[in-house]
Amino acid sequence: MLKEIIIAVQAYFKAHRFIKQHQLWKWIIIPGILYALLFVFSMGFFLHTTSGVIEWLSLKTGLKNWLDKMQSTWLGFLFTLSSLGLLLLQMLFYFSFFKYFYLIVGSPVFAYLSEKTEAIMNHQEYPFSFRQLGADMWRGIRLAIRNAVWQSIYLIALMFLSIIPLFGLITPIIALFIEAYYYGFSMLDYSMERHQKNMSESAYYIGTHRGIAIGNGLVFYLMHFLPFIGWVLAPAYAVVAATLALYPLHEDEPPKIYVPGKPSITHKKN
């Protein structure tokens, strides 16, 4: 899996060169600015509500009253560390919902950009089709909802576990890898759809190459540490990088004739 994570990270550098070489900036900048504005809004909402959630959990679980009765400096210190872990976990939880909202809104651009990337690599042009674009959008929306549900289940469980002293310190790390996997999953699925894999087949295929999904998602999150520029570039770079990372794996598959709206015709290798 480590090798696949490295491949996914290297794909971002390839994506940067690829975008520059083929002048894809118009598909990067405009959606990226929209994403950056939505990101600022979502983080502002997070900062206004975060303290209330931590207080609510500590009161509802009775942990705060128990700590007050124990009057232990050591337990209080552990609770403070756990609160910090919960704060980070909550930030990831908020960002998760924002991320899936943007995946739904931006699905037309993501689908087209992934298709455009593979078309350039194959030295061919896929004919544009509103019908195919609509199918890609609908699949992207369904996948975003599916992944949001599963990821929310894991994150909610981790939020309750995060109030346990010591264990709460590692929950943000676990949550980050879960977040990275599901985001990378969404980026990789655009390629899966073009290779005529349904959602179940896509989930299985990506599950066998989970390192690529995790690596793609991790770099996407790391790019957010670069204010504004990273926020603008992160979503589209993730799409192109995911397509480039999967391309060598697809080279071993039988080639397909792409016809918008119709199943691909597979030519068997001799």
Side-chain angles (χ1 to χ4, degrees):
M1 188 170 71
L2 179 60
K3 180 181 178 180
E4 291 183 341
I5 291 177
I6 295 173
I7 291 173
V9 172
Q10 292 173 337
Y12 272 83
F13 296 97
K14 294 179 181 178
H16 179 68
R17 295 192 295 269
F18 187 90
I19 291 168
K20 286 179 59 180
Q21 179 182 353
H22 299 286
Q23 295 298 306
L24 299 176
W25 295 113
K26 64 181 178 180
W27 300 105
I28 308 296
I29 302 301
I30 297 176
I33 292 175
L34 175 61
Y35 173 85
L37 294 175
L38 290 173
F39 175 73
V40 171
F41 173 79
S42 67
M43 289 299 100
F45 181 75
F46 161 74
L47 292 174
H48 278 84
T49 58
T50 181
S51 59
V53 173
I54 295 176
E55 184 179 355
W56 180 84
L57 274 176
S58 61
L59 290 174
K60 287 295 181 180
T61 57
L63 183 60
K64 188 176 185 303
N65 292 332
W66 180 74
L67 286 172
D68 291 340
K69 291 179 181 178
M70 294 297 294
Q71 295 183 342
S72 171
T73 304
W74 176 245
L75 287 176
F77 174 72
L78 291 178
F79 177 73
T80 301
L81 290 179
S82 296
S83 297
L84 178 60
L86 179 58
L87 177 65
L88 295 173
L89 188 60
Q90 187 184 352
M91 182 177 67
L92 288 173
F93 189 75
Y94 272 63
F95 187 68
S96 174
F97 280 99
F98 155 72
K99 173 190 66 182
Y100 284 116
F101 171 76
Y102 188 75
L103 282 174
I104 292 173
V105 173
S107 59
V109 175
F110 292 151
Y112 179 79
L113 187 56
S114 178
E115 181 180 289
K116 182 73 173 177
T117 300
E118 189 163 325
I120 292 172
M121 289 189 295
N122 289 330
H123 304 288
Q124 65 186 69
E125 189 67 39
Y126 295 152
F128 180 80
S129 168
F130 280 106
R131 180 180 179 183
Q132 183 62 35
L133 182 62
D136 292 341
M137 289 171 56
W138 175 235
R139 176 174 170 131
I141 292 170
R142 288 188 296 132
L143 184 71
I145 294 173
R146 171 196 178 275
N147 286 351
V149 170
W150 280 108
Q151 186 173 327
S152 296
I153 292 173
Y154 294 135
L155 289 181
I156 290 173
L158 285 173
M159 285 184 72
F160 282 99
L161 291 174
S162 66
I163 62 176
I164 300 175
L166 296 182
F167 183 79
L169 296 177
I170 65 171
T171 52
I173 299 175
I174 298 173
L176 177 61
F177 276 86
I178 293 174
E179 282 269 347
Y181 173 75
Y182 278 109
Y183 186 83
F185 190 138
S186 297
M187 296 295 98
L188 295 171
D189 186 70
Y190 292 108
S191 292
M192 296 292 101
E193 195 279 336
R194 280 194 307 280
H195 287 263
Q196 300 301 310
K197 296 184 185 296
N198 59 39
M199 289 177 61
S200 296
E201 292 170 334
S202 176
Y204 176 79
Y205 189 91
I206 295 173
T208 59
H209 300 286
R210 64 177 62 89
I212 293 179
I214 292 173
N216 182 275
L218 284 176
V219 178
F220 168 78
Y221 281 104
L222 287 174
M223 290 182 72
H224 287 76
F225 286 97
L226 183 62
F228 194 74
I229 296 177
W231 307 342
V232 171
L233 300 180
Y237 269 52
V239 179
V240 177
T243 307
L244 293 174
L246 274 184
Y247 186 73
L249 300 179
H250 289 321
E251 287 183 324
D252 295 330
E253 296 181 351
K256 297 178 174 65
I257 298 177
Y258 183 87
V259 181
K262 296 182 180 180
S264 294
I265 301 173
T266 302
H267 292 279
K268 297 181 179 179
K269 295 182 180 180
N270 295 325

